[in-house]
Amino acid sequence: MENRPISNIDYKAFEGKWYSLYSIPTLMDKHWRQTTETYTLKDEDHFDVFTTYHKEGKPEEKSITSKLFFDPEKPDGDMKAQFLWPFKIGYWIIELADDYSYVVVGHPDEKYLFIMAREPKMEADLLVDIIERCREKGYDVSELVSQEHF
């Protein structure tokens, strides 16, 4: 299977809250748990993203804001995330359920991976299937970390 962004996304349907269930984290979110991301469509060219999380072993909730840009010249799933201006990083939507119940976010170089869903849990069989497809696309799924949603 090839690691590539999907072609078509209904951005309005993608809007809303997502629970990050498993990830190959970036350096920034390496110790985050119970992460959620809320996407709000803005100006037809980006989402404002509000992320909440708990640092590993800490009870207090933290938050961060970012932006997620899309380019009409590229496939819908080929996006750029911006946490700190002017820097942007690759953010590829590599799988999306037809009913928008789950999404898999990857990276052009298979550096990180996020399996997110509209609910804080997912059926075990579906999760196993998603992880296997990610492995086939070149991701080191042995590095997946649970976000510990309860």
Side-chain angles (χ1 to χ4, degrees):
M1 295 184 103
E2 190 178 345
N3 180 46
R4 67 173 185 253
I6 63 173
S7 297
N8 297 305
I9 297 173
D10 177 344
Y11 294 129
K12 286 300 283 178
F14 190 81
E15 241 185 339
K17 186 173 185 175
W18 293 93
Y19 292 84
S20 182
L21 303 180
Y22 287 87
S23 65
I24 298 174
T26 66
L27 283 175
M28 184 175 80
D29 59 12
K30 188 174 183 175
H31 298 289
W32 295 5
R33 298 296 179 265
Q34 300 172 354
T35 306
T36 67
E37 295 188 351
T38 303
Y39 295 80
T40 304
L41 189 60
K42 295 287 185 179
D43 304 326
E44 301 297 319
D45 73 340
H46 77 276
F47 287 104
D48 282 345
V49 184
F50 180 72
T51 303
T52 64
Y53 62 94
H54 294 261
K55 285 215 173 170
E56 206 169 22
K58 305 282 185 187
E60 59 275 351
E61 184 175 86
K62 305 265 186 185
S63 66
I64 186 172
T65 59
S66 60
K67 295 185 184 303
L68 184 60
F69 292 93
F70 30 93
D71 181 342
E73 305 295 317
K74 296 186 176 183
D76 289 354
D78 186 345
M79 302 183 187
K80 298 283 186 195
Q82 184 177 65
F83 294 93
L84 181 64
W85 186 87
F87 306 104
K88 294 179 182 171
I89 58 171
Y91 182 106
W92 279 9
I93 295 178
I94 59 172
E95 189 172 327
L96 180 61
D98 291 340
D99 64 357
Y100 289 70
S101 60
Y102 75 85
V103 64
V104 182
V105 175
H107 183 270
D109 299 325
E110 298 97 16
K111 287 182 180 178
Y112 58 80
L113 184 71
F114 298 90
I115 300 170
M116 301 190 296
R118 295 293 189 178
E119 301 293 328
K121 59 185 184 273
M122 178 183 282
E123 290 181 24
D125 291 346
L126 176 58
L127 181 61
V128 167
D129 290 346
I130 292 170
I131 290 171
E132 177 56 22
R133 287 192 295 274
C134 291
R135 187 191 62 72
E136 291 174 6
K137 291 176 183 178
Y139 292 88
D140 182 358
V141 296
S142 69
E143 294 183 20
L144 280 171
V145 175
S146 170
Q147 284 292 305
E148 301 173 2
H149 286 281
F150 304 107

